[in-house]
Each structure stands twice: as C-alpha cells, then as structure tokens.
Amino acid sequence: MKGIIFTEFMELVEQEFGLDTLDKILELAEDEGIYTSVGSYDHRDLVKLIVQLSKVTEISPETLQQVFGKSVFKNLYQALPENANLHHCKTTFQFVHHVEDYIHLEVKKLYPDAKPPKFDFISEHQTELVFDYVSARCMAHVCLGLLQGCADFYNEEIDVEMADMSESSDRVRFAVSLRT
C-alpha cells in the first residue's frame, strides 16, 4: 500500500484526536510511525493502526475507515498530476470510472508489484452506478468514504448500499444512487 495513505491517516488522527492519541495508537500497534508518502508498506500495518484507534476512541473500525476515506479524497485528488484525465471529470460516476481506467493503471505501471483494488462495473444508468470493489485488503469502508468525499467534491448527493459478495469480504458490491 502506498505511503501517502499512511501519512494521510496519521495526519487525520493527529487533527481529529490529537498528537497524544496518535502516539498512543502507534505504541499500542508497536509501530514506529515512520512512513513516507512515496514508500510502499504492508496494508496490515494500517489495519493495526485503525484497530488500535478504534479501541482508544470506541469508534468502530468501519466508521473510522469511512471517515478516513471521506477526509482523504481532496488531498488525493490534489496529488494527481496536472495532466491526469481525472481533472476533466464533472461527476462522481465519471470519476469512479476513471479511477479504474487511470489511477489503478498508472499505479501498476509505476509499481509493478502493487495490487490496487479493482472495480468491476456491473451496470450504470443516469442516476445509478453498480460496481464491485475487489481487494484482498478488505477495506471497502475506505472506498465508501472516498465515494462520499468524491460526491462532496462534485457537489452531488448520493446514497450508497454495500453488500458483501464473498465470505472473506474481498468483493463488495456498491450500488450508488444519485439523489435528484
């Protein structure tokens, strides 16, 4: 997993819960907290940090993932290269399609060993998009938050339904409806 996810997570924890809480979860997770935005790290380290934050704050790991995804969207968007096709998107649905067509493809080019999530598109209508989020990392609630952050960015209101499509939660179906 790319380091920018770790650095953004630690910034969010510090901003929302304070430096003492960040230090505490790093200690509980037995994590030195040394990450660079361009490094690559084991996603299980992020999971440990989320679990420890959940214990300290008594907020569910799923809710924390969702809040993180929503809050990190703008920073990830701003980190895109200026020539990225994603800057031409005008809607949440367009952006989601381009994530699969552009970001995940570019990540694989730059980091051949990377395993970004995959979006399998099922159907799309003017006000509904259905796709499967496929990832061995099982962080679908981060994806949910990213969708919400994306909709906020485009000044759209969406409803999202999630359904596990596998016992291991490595395939989750998202049905995203645009409120009109």
Side-chain angles (χ1 to χ4, degrees):
M1 179 173 276
K2 297 314 302 165
I4 191 169
I5 301 299
F6 286 82
T7 58
E8 291 288 336
F9 177 76
M10 292 198 306
E11 282 181 31
L12 173 69
V13 172
E14 185 176 347
Q15 287 174 354
E16 296 298 319
F17 302 103
L19 187 56
D20 289 342
T21 299
L22 177 58
D23 288 341
K24 186 172 186 172
I25 68 166
L26 288 169
E27 181 182 325
L28 291 170
E30 299 178 354
D31 189 313
E32 292 181 12
I34 301 171
Y35 299 100
T36 64
S37 61
V38 294
S40 292
Y41 306 97
D42 190 328
H43 78 280
R44 290 175 288 210
D45 293 334
L46 182 61
V47 171
K48 283 186 211 174
L49 294 172
I50 292 169
V51 167
Q52 294 307 324
L53 182 60
S54 175
K55 288 178 182 176
V56 169
T57 62
E58 298 181 353
I59 300 171
S60 74
E62 295 81 10
T63 299
L64 290 170
Q65 287 181 42
Q66 182 180 350
V67 168
F68 171 62
K70 186 173 182 177
S71 71
V72 78
F73 177 83
K74 276 188 183 176
N75 291 347
L76 293 176
Y77 184 90
Q78 290 170 350
L80 292 170
E82 286 190 32
N83 63 344
N85 288 342
L86 292 158
H87 292 293
H88 301 293
C89 294
K90 304 271 188 251
T91 69
T92 303
F93 291 0
Q94 287 177 355
F95 190 88
V96 170
H97 275 289
H98 277 80
V99 166
E100 183 62 28
D101 297 340
Y102 178 79
I103 293 178
H104 293 165
L105 192 64
E106 291 300 314
V107 167
K108 286 181 184 180
K109 284 181 192 174
L110 291 171
Y111 309 99
D113 294 340
K115 294 178 180 140
K118 181 172 177 17
F119 295 166
D120 288 334
F121 294 100
I122 309 300
S123 66
E124 183 173 1
H125 305 285
Q126 190 171 2
T127 60
E128 185 180 64
L129 175 66
V130 179
F131 67 94
D132 286 354
Y133 165 88
V134 183
S135 174
R137 294 185 186 107
C138 304
M139 299 186 94
H141 285 85
V142 173
C143 182
L144 172 60
L146 286 166
L147 284 168
Q148 292 167 330
C150 183
D152 287 350
F153 181 80
Y154 289 110
N155 295 311
E156 295 177 318
E157 292 185 22
I158 59 171
D159 294 310
V160 181
E161 293 181 26
M162 295 171 57
D164 277 333
M165 304 305 288
S166 66
E167 287 184 30
S168 62
S169 296
D170 62 351
R171 179 178 286 269
V172 176
R173 180 149 303 158
F174 284 84
V176 185
S177 300
L178 186 62
R179 287 190 220 148
T180 54

PDB file of all heavy atoms in Angstrom, residues 86-112:
ATOM      1  N   LEU A  86      -8.432  12.738 -15.020  1.00  0.00           N
ATOM      2  CA  LEU A  86      -9.397  12.854 -13.932  1.00  0.00           C
ATOM      3  C   LEU A  86      -9.806  14.297 -13.665  1.00  0.00           C
ATOM      4  O   LEU A  86     -10.879  14.553 -13.143  1.00  0.00           O
ATOM      5  CB  LEU A  86      -8.807  12.243 -12.660  1.00  0.00           C
ATOM      6  CG  LEU A  86      -8.644  10.726 -12.739  1.00  0.00           C
ATOM      7  CD1 LEU A  86      -7.598  10.250 -11.754  1.00  0.00           C
ATOM      8  CD2 LEU A  86      -9.960  10.039 -12.490  1.00  0.00           C
ATOM      9  N   HIS A  87      -8.964  15.237 -14.019  1.00  0.00           N
ATOM     10  CA  HIS A  87      -9.295  16.644 -13.810  1.00  0.00           C
ATOM     11  C   HIS A  87     -10.417  17.108 -14.740  1.00  0.00           C
ATOM     12  O   HIS A  87     -10.997  18.169 -14.527  1.00  0.00           O
ATOM     13  CB  HIS A  87      -8.060  17.534 -14.000  1.00  0.00           C
ATOM     14  CG  HIS A  87      -7.033  17.340 -12.925  1.00  0.00           C
ATOM     15  ND1 HIS A  87      -7.239  17.704 -11.610  1.00  0.00           N
ATOM     16  CD2 HIS A  87      -5.799  16.796 -12.967  1.00  0.00           C
ATOM     17  CE1 HIS A  87      -6.181  17.405 -10.894  1.00  0.00           C
ATOM     18  NE2 HIS A  87      -5.288  16.847 -11.683  1.00  0.00           N
ATOM     19  N   HIS A  88     -10.733  16.308 -15.753  1.00  0.00           N
ATOM     20  CA  HIS A  88     -11.804  16.660 -16.682  1.00  0.00           C
ATOM     21  C   HIS A  88     -13.150  16.082 -16.249  1.00  0.00           C
ATOM     22  O   HIS A  88     -14.164  16.384 -16.867  1.00  0.00           O
ATOM     23  CB  HIS A  88     -11.470  16.179 -18.098  1.00  0.00           C
ATOM     24  CG  HIS A  88     -10.193  16.761 -18.622  1.00  0.00           C
ATOM     25  ND1 HIS A  88     -10.048  18.097 -18.901  1.00  0.00           N
ATOM     26  CD2 HIS A  88      -8.998  16.184 -18.889  1.00  0.00           C
ATOM     27  CE1 HIS A  88      -8.815  18.338 -19.325  1.00  0.00           C
ATOM     28  NE2 HIS A  88      -8.159  17.184 -19.319  1.00  0.00           N
ATOM     29  N   CYS A  89     -13.152  15.279 -15.212  1.00  0.00           N
ATOM     30  CA  CYS A  89     -14.405  14.690 -14.739  1.00  0.00           C
ATOM     31  C   CYS A  89     -15.313  15.766 -14.174  1.00  0.00           C
ATOM     32  O   CYS A  89     -14.851  16.728 -13.553  1.00  0.00           O
ATOM     33  CB  CYS A  89     -14.125  13.639 -13.663  1.00  0.00           C
ATOM     34  SG  CYS A  89     -13.235  12.201 -14.273  1.00  0.00           S
ATOM     35  N   LYS A  90     -16.598  15.561 -14.387  1.00  0.00           N
ATOM     36  CA  LYS A  90     -17.585  16.531 -13.902  1.00  0.00           C
ATOM     37  C   LYS A  90     -18.542  15.910 -12.883  1.00  0.00           C
ATOM     38  O   LYS A  90     -19.330  16.618 -12.273  1.00  0.00           O
ATOM     39  CB  LYS A  90     -18.413  17.073 -15.077  1.00  0.00           C
ATOM     40  CG  LYS A  90     -17.585  17.688 -16.188  1.00  0.00           C
ATOM     41  CD  LYS A  90     -17.349  19.151 -15.929  1.00  0.00           C
ATOM     42  CE  LYS A  90     -16.705  19.804 -17.126  1.00  0.00           C
ATOM     43  NZ  LYS A  90     -15.340  20.171 -16.917  1.00  0.00           N
ATOM     44  N   THR A  91     -18.494  14.577 -12.732  1.00  0.00           N
ATOM     45  CA  THR A  91     -19.418  13.895 -11.825  1.00  0.00           C
ATOM     46  C   THR A  91     -18.699  12.777 -11.074  1.00  0.00           C
ATOM     47  O   THR A  91     -17.630  12.311 -11.480  1.00  0.00           O
ATOM     48  CB  THR A  91     -20.599  13.263 -12.594  1.00  0.00           C
ATOM     49  OG1 THR A  91     -20.103  12.168 -13.383  1.00  0.00           O
ATOM     50  CG2 THR A  91     -21.320  14.262 -13.484  1.00  0.00           C
ATOM     51  N   THR A  92     -19.328  12.346 -10.014  1.00  0.00           N
ATOM     52  CA  THR A  92     -18.815  11.234  -9.223  1.00  0.00           C
ATOM     53  C   THR A  92     -18.697   9.977 -10.087  1.00  0.00           C
ATOM     54  O   THR A  92     -17.681   9.279 -10.032  1.00  0.00           O
ATOM     55  CB  THR A  92     -19.748  10.963  -8.021  1.00  0.00           C
ATOM     56  OG1 THR A  92     -19.850  12.162  -7.247  1.00  0.00           O
ATOM     57  CG2 THR A  92     -19.246   9.820  -7.170  1.00  0.00           C
ATOM     58  N   PHE A  93     -19.716   9.690 -10.883  1.00  0.00           N
ATOM     59  CA  PHE A  93     -19.692   8.477 -11.705  1.00  0.00           C
ATOM     60  C   PHE A  93     -18.527   8.503 -12.694  1.00  0.00           C
ATOM     61  O   PHE A  93     -17.837   7.501 -12.890  1.00  0.00           O
ATOM     62  CB  PHE A  93     -21.011   8.293 -12.458  1.00  0.00           C
ATOM     63  CG  PHE A  93     -22.200   7.962 -11.583  1.00  0.00           C
ATOM     64  CD1 PHE A  93     -22.088   7.830 -10.200  1.00  0.00           C
ATOM     65  CD2 PHE A  93     -23.454   7.788 -12.135  1.00  0.00           C
ATOM     66  CE1 PHE A  93     -23.186   7.528  -9.406  1.00  0.00           C
ATOM     67  CE2 PHE A  93     -24.561   7.487 -11.352  1.00  0.00           C
ATOM     68  CZ  PHE A  93     -24.428   7.357  -9.989  1.00  0.00           C
ATOM     69  N   GLN A  94     -18.308   9.652 -13.339  1.00  0.00           N
ATOM     70  CA  GLN A  94     -17.176   9.767 -14.269  1.00  0.00           C
ATOM     71  C   GLN A  94     -15.864   9.516 -13.537  1.00  0.00           C
ATOM     72  O   GLN A  94     -14.985   8.814 -14.034  1.00  0.00           O
ATOM     73  CB  GLN A  94     -17.134  11.158 -14.903  1.00  0.00           C
ATOM     74  CG  GLN A  94     -18.183  11.419 -15.933  1.00  0.00           C
ATOM     75  CD  GLN A  94     -18.113  12.861 -16.460  1.00  0.00           C
ATOM     76  OE1 GLN A  94     -17.326  13.683 -15.987  1.00  0.00           O
ATOM     77  NE2 GLN A  94     -18.958  13.157 -17.441  1.00  0.00           N
ATOM     78  N   PHE A  95     -15.736  10.093 -12.358  1.00  0.00           N
ATOM     79  CA  PHE A  95     -14.500   9.948 -11.606  1.00  0.00           C
ATOM     80  C   PHE A  95     -14.248   8.489 -11.230  1.00  0.00           C
ATOM     81  O   PHE A  95     -13.134   7.986 -11.378  1.00  0.00           O
ATOM     82  CB  PHE A  95     -14.523  10.828 -10.352  1.00  0.00           C
ATOM     83  CG  PHE A  95     -13.184  10.895  -9.672  1.00  0.00           C
ATOM     84  CD1 PHE A  95     -12.269  11.855 -10.057  1.00  0.00           C
ATOM     85  CD2 PHE A  95     -12.837   9.994  -8.675  1.00  0.00           C
ATOM     86  CE1 PHE A  95     -11.013  11.916  -9.447  1.00  0.00           C
ATOM     87  CE2 PHE A  95     -11.599  10.046  -8.071  1.00  0.00           C
ATOM     88  CZ  PHE A  95     -10.683  11.009  -8.455  1.00  0.00           C
ATOM     89  N   VAL A  96     -15.278   7.808 -10.759  1.00  0.00           N
ATOM     90  CA  VAL A  96     -15.120   6.400 -10.365  1.00  0.00           C
ATOM     91  C   VAL A  96     -14.642   5.568 -11.553  1.00  0.00           C
ATOM     92  O   VAL A  96     -13.735   4.730 -11.409  1.00  0.00           O
ATOM     93  CB  VAL A  96     -16.432   5.834  -9.776  1.00  0.00           C
ATOM     94  CG1 VAL A  96     -16.345   4.323  -9.587  1.00  0.00           C
ATOM     95  CG2 VAL A  96     -16.757   6.519  -8.449  1.00  0.00           C
ATOM     96  N   HIS A  97     -15.202   5.795 -12.720  1.00  0.00           N
ATOM     97  CA  HIS A  97     -14.741   5.071 -13.916  1.00  0.00           C
ATOM     98  C   HIS A  97     -13.275   5.363 -14.195  1.00  0.00           C
ATOM     99  O   HIS A  97     -12.508   4.463 -14.526  1.00  0.00           O
ATOM    100  CB  HIS A  97     -15.590   5.441 -15.142  1.00  0.00           C
ATOM    101  CG  HIS A  97     -16.832   4.638 -15.267  1.00  0.00           C
ATOM    102  ND1 HIS A  97     -16.834   3.307 -15.607  1.00  0.00           N
ATOM    103  CD2 HIS A  97     -18.125   4.981 -15.076  1.00  0.00           C
ATOM    104  CE1 HIS A  97     -18.066   2.855 -15.631  1.00  0.00           C
ATOM    105  NE2 HIS A  97     -18.881   3.861 -15.314  1.00  0.00           N
ATOM    106  N   HIS A  98     -12.890   6.613 -14.071  1.00  0.00           N
ATOM    107  CA  HIS A  98     -11.507   6.977 -14.370  1.00  0.00           C
ATOM    108  C   HIS A  98     -10.520   6.460 -13.330  1.00  0.00           C
ATOM    109  O   HIS A  98      -9.345   6.272 -13.636  1.00  0.00           O
ATOM    110  CB  HIS A  98     -11.376   8.498 -14.522  1.00  0.00           C
ATOM    111  CG  HIS A  98     -11.752   8.976 -15.882  1.00  0.00           C
ATOM    112  ND1 HIS A  98     -13.056   9.141 -16.272  1.00  0.00           N
ATOM    113  CD2 HIS A  98     -10.993   9.301 -16.952  1.00  0.00           C
ATOM    114  CE1 HIS A  98     -13.088   9.564 -17.528  1.00  0.00           C
ATOM    115  NE2 HIS A  98     -11.850   9.666 -17.957  1.00  0.00           N
ATOM    116  N   VAL A  99     -10.982   6.227 -12.116  1.00  0.00           N
ATOM    117  CA  VAL A  99     -10.090   5.646 -11.106  1.00  0.00           C
ATOM    118  C   VAL A  99      -9.600   4.294 -11.607  1.00  0.00           C
ATOM    119  O   VAL A  99      -8.409   3.997 -11.557  1.00  0.00           O
ATOM    120  CB  VAL A  99     -10.799   5.500  -9.738  1.00  0.00           C
ATOM    121  CG1 VAL A  99     -10.010   4.592  -8.804  1.00  0.00           C
ATOM    122  CG2 VAL A  99     -10.996   6.864  -9.107  1.00  0.00           C
ATOM    123  N   GLU A 100     -10.514   3.498 -12.099  1.00  0.00           N
ATOM    124  CA  GLU A 100     -10.121   2.173 -12.612  1.00  0.00           C
ATOM    125  C   GLU A 100      -9.300   2.303 -13.886  1.00  0.00           C
ATOM    126  O   GLU A 100      -8.296   1.628 -14.055  1.00  0.00           O
ATOM    127  CB  GLU A 100     -11.366   1.311 -12.866  1.00  0.00           C
ATOM    128  CG  GLU A 100     -11.056  -0.091 -13.324  1.00  0.00           C
ATOM    129  CD  GLU A 100     -10.277  -0.923 -12.316  1.00  0.00           C
ATOM    130  OE1 GLU A 100     -10.380  -0.690 -11.095  1.00  0.00           O
ATOM    131  OE2 GLU A 100      -9.539  -1.821 -12.754  1.00  0.00           O
ATOM    132  N   ASP A 101      -9.710   3.202 -14.772  1.00  0.00           N
ATOM    133  CA  ASP A 101      -9.044   3.338 -16.069  1.00  0.00           C
ATOM    134  C   ASP A 101      -7.716   4.084 -15.999  1.00  0.00           C
ATOM    135  O   ASP A 101      -6.872   3.908 -16.861  1.00  0.00           O
ATOM    136  CB  ASP A 101      -9.953   4.082 -17.061  1.00  0.00           C
ATOM    137  CG  ASP A 101     -11.235   3.340 -17.349  1.00  0.00           C
ATOM    138  OD1 ASP A 101     -11.283   2.125 -17.101  1.00  0.00           O
ATOM    139  OD2 ASP A 101     -12.197   3.982 -17.806  1.00  0.00           O
ATOM    140  N   TYR A 102      -7.551   4.940 -14.997  1.00  0.00           N
ATOM    141  CA  TYR A 102      -6.344   5.760 -14.956  1.00  0.00           C
ATOM    142  C   TYR A 102      -5.480   5.483 -13.722  1.00  0.00           C
ATOM    143  O   TYR A 102      -4.349   5.036 -13.835  1.00  0.00           O
ATOM    144  CB  TYR A 102      -6.698   7.253 -15.028  1.00  0.00           C
ATOM    145  CG  TYR A 102      -5.470   8.131 -14.946  1.00  0.00           C
ATOM    146  CD1 TYR A 102      -4.657   8.334 -16.063  1.00  0.00           C
ATOM    147  CD2 TYR A 102      -5.089   8.712 -13.748  1.00  0.00           C
ATOM    148  CE1 TYR A 102      -3.514   9.107 -15.977  1.00  0.00           C
ATOM    149  CE2 TYR A 102      -3.943   9.492 -13.663  1.00  0.00           C
ATOM    150  CZ  TYR A 102      -3.156   9.683 -14.772  1.00  0.00           C
ATOM    151  OH  TYR A 102      -2.026  10.439 -14.679  1.00  0.00           O
ATOM    152  N   ILE A 103      -6.010   5.762 -12.537  1.00  0.00           N
ATOM    153  CA  ILE A 103      -5.183   5.680 -11.330  1.00  0.00           C
ATOM    154  C   ILE A 103      -4.648   4.272 -11.109  1.00  0.00           C
ATOM    155  O   ILE A 103      -3.443   4.077 -10.938  1.00  0.00           O
ATOM    156  CB  ILE A 103      -5.953   6.164 -10.082  1.00  0.00           C
ATOM    157  CG1 ILE A 103      -6.230   7.664 -10.201  1.00  0.00           C
ATOM    158  CG2 ILE A 103      -5.153   5.878  -8.808  1.00  0.00           C
ATOM    159  CD1 ILE A 103      -7.033   8.240  -9.053  1.00  0.00           C
ATOM    160  N   HIS A 104      -5.518   3.289 -11.117  1.00  0.00           N
ATOM    161  CA  HIS A 104      -5.057   1.924 -10.851  1.00  0.00           C
ATOM    162  C   HIS A 104      -4.089   1.449 -11.934  1.00  0.00           C
ATOM    163  O   HIS A 104      -3.114   0.754 -11.644  1.00  0.00           O
ATOM    164  CB  HIS A 104      -6.241   0.978 -10.715  1.00  0.00           C
ATOM    165  CG  HIS A 104      -7.065   1.253  -9.493  1.00  0.00           C
ATOM    166  ND1 HIS A 104      -8.325   0.747  -9.329  1.00  0.00           N
ATOM    167  CD2 HIS A 104      -6.813   1.980  -8.371  1.00  0.00           C
ATOM    168  CE1 HIS A 104      -8.812   1.152  -8.167  1.00  0.00           C
ATOM    169  NE2 HIS A 104      -7.911   1.909  -7.572  1.00  0.00           N
ATOM    170  N   LEU A 105      -4.317   1.852 -13.158  1.00  0.00           N
ATOM    171  CA  LEU A 105      -3.421   1.501 -14.265  1.00  0.00           C
ATOM    172  C   LEU A 105      -2.052   2.161 -14.081  1.00  0.00           C
ATOM    173  O   LEU A 105      -1.009   1.515 -14.244  1.00  0.00           O
ATOM    174  CB  LEU A 105      -4.062   1.945 -15.584  1.00  0.00           C
ATOM    175  CG  LEU A 105      -3.443   1.438 -16.876  1.00  0.00           C
ATOM    176  CD1 LEU A 105      -3.580  -0.072 -16.969  1.00  0.00           C
ATOM    177  CD2 LEU A 105      -4.115   2.094 -18.062  1.00  0.00           C
ATOM    178  N   GLU A 106      -2.042   3.439 -13.723  1.00  0.00           N
ATOM    179  CA  GLU A 106      -0.781   4.158 -13.509  1.00  0.00           C
ATOM    180  C   GLU A 106      -0.008   3.599 -12.318  1.00  0.00           C
ATOM    181  O   GLU A 106       1.216   3.490 -12.359  1.00  0.00           O
ATOM    182  CB  GLU A 106      -1.035   5.658 -13.326  1.00  0.00           C
ATOM    183  CG  GLU A 106      -1.504   6.354 -14.587  1.00  0.00           C
ATOM    184  CD  GLU A 106      -0.507   6.269 -15.731  1.00  0.00           C
ATOM    185  OE1 GLU A 106       0.693   6.494 -15.513  1.00  0.00           O
ATOM    186  OE2 GLU A 106      -0.931   5.953 -16.866  1.00  0.00           O
ATOM    187  N   VAL A 107      -0.722   3.242 -11.268  1.00  0.00           N
ATOM    188  CA  VAL A 107      -0.063   2.655 -10.093  1.00  0.00           C
ATOM    189  C   VAL A 107       0.650   1.369 -10.496  1.00  0.00           C
ATOM    190  O   VAL A 107       1.797   1.133 -10.108  1.00  0.00           O
ATOM    191  CB  VAL A 107      -1.081   2.395  -8.954  1.00  0.00           C
ATOM    192  CG1 VAL A 107      -0.488   1.499  -7.876  1.00  0.00           C
ATOM    193  CG2 VAL A 107      -1.555   3.710  -8.354  1.00  0.00           C
ATOM    194  N   LYS A 108      -0.013   0.558 -11.310  1.00  0.00           N
ATOM    195  CA  LYS A 108       0.605  -0.704 -11.749  1.00  0.00           C
ATOM    196  C   LYS A 108       1.825  -0.464 -12.638  1.00  0.00           C
ATOM    197  O   LYS A 108       2.788  -1.212 -12.595  1.00  0.00           O
ATOM    198  CB  LYS A 108      -0.422  -1.567 -12.486  1.00  0.00           C
ATOM    199  CG  LYS A 108      -1.433  -2.207 -11.575  1.00  0.00           C
ATOM    200  CD  LYS A 108      -2.397  -3.061 -12.374  1.00  0.00           C
ATOM    201  CE  LYS A 108      -3.481  -3.646 -11.507  1.00  0.00           C
ATOM    202  NZ  LYS A 108      -4.416  -4.460 -12.270  1.00  0.00           N
ATOM    203  N   LYS A 109       1.773   0.598 -13.458  1.00  0.00           N
ATOM    204  CA  LYS A 109       2.926   0.930 -14.304  1.00  0.00           C
ATOM    205  C   LYS A 109       4.121   1.359 -13.452  1.00  0.00           C
ATOM    206  O   LYS A 109       5.246   0.950 -13.680  1.00  0.00           O
ATOM    207  CB  LYS A 109       2.582   2.067 -15.273  1.00  0.00           C
ATOM    208  CG  LYS A 109       1.729   1.665 -16.438  1.00  0.00           C
ATOM    209  CD  LYS A 109       1.496   2.892 -17.317  1.00  0.00           C
ATOM    210  CE  LYS A 109       0.427   2.685 -18.342  1.00  0.00           C
ATOM    211  NZ  LYS A 109       0.132   3.922 -19.082  1.00  0.00           N
ATOM    212  N   LEU A 110       3.843   2.221 -12.478  1.00  0.00           N
ATOM    213  CA  LEU A 110       4.914   2.750 -11.635  1.00  0.00           C
ATOM    214  C   LEU A 110       5.437   1.717 -10.647  1.00  0.00           C
ATOM    215  O   LEU A 110       6.620   1.699 -10.318  1.00  0.00           O
ATOM    216  CB  LEU A 110       4.421   3.977 -10.860  1.00  0.00           C
ATOM    217  CG  LEU A 110       4.141   5.224 -11.683  1.00  0.00           C
ATOM    218  CD1 LEU A 110       3.446   6.276 -10.835  1.00  0.00           C
ATOM    219  CD2 LEU A 110       5.439   5.784 -12.255  1.00  0.00           C
ATOM    220  N   TYR A 111       4.540   0.884 -10.155  1.00  0.00           N
ATOM    221  CA  TYR A 111       4.897  -0.105  -9.134  1.00  0.00           C
ATOM    222  C   TYR A 111       4.347  -1.463  -9.564  1.00  0.00           C
ATOM    223  O   TYR A 111       3.242  -1.841  -9.171  1.00  0.00           O
ATOM    224  CB  TYR A 111       4.310   0.301  -7.777  1.00  0.00           C
ATOM    225  CG  TYR A 111       4.644   1.722  -7.404  1.00  0.00           C
ATOM    226  CD1 TYR A 111       3.716   2.747  -7.609  1.00  0.00           C
ATOM    227  CD2 TYR A 111       5.878   2.049  -6.864  1.00  0.00           C
ATOM    228  CE1 TYR A 111       4.018   4.064  -7.278  1.00  0.00           C
ATOM    229  CE2 TYR A 111       6.194   3.358  -6.527  1.00  0.00           C
ATOM    230  CZ  TYR A 111       5.252   4.365  -6.740  1.00  0.00           C
ATOM    231  OH  TYR A 111       5.562   5.654  -6.418  1.00  0.00           O
ATOM    232  N   PRO A 112       5.103  -2.196 -10.379  1.00  0.00           N
ATOM    233  CA  PRO A 112       4.604  -3.461 -10.923  1.00  0.00           C
ATOM    234  C   PRO A 112       4.118  -4.460  -9.870  1.00  0.00           C
ATOM    235  O   PRO A 112       3.247  -5.278 -10.147  1.00  0.00           O
ATOM    236  CB  PRO A 112       5.809  -4.017 -11.687  1.00  0.00           C
ATOM    237  CG  PRO A 112       6.656  -2.820 -11.986  1.00  0.00           C
ATOM    238  CD  PRO A 112       6.436  -1.868 -10.858  1.00  0.00           C
TER     239      PRO A 112
END
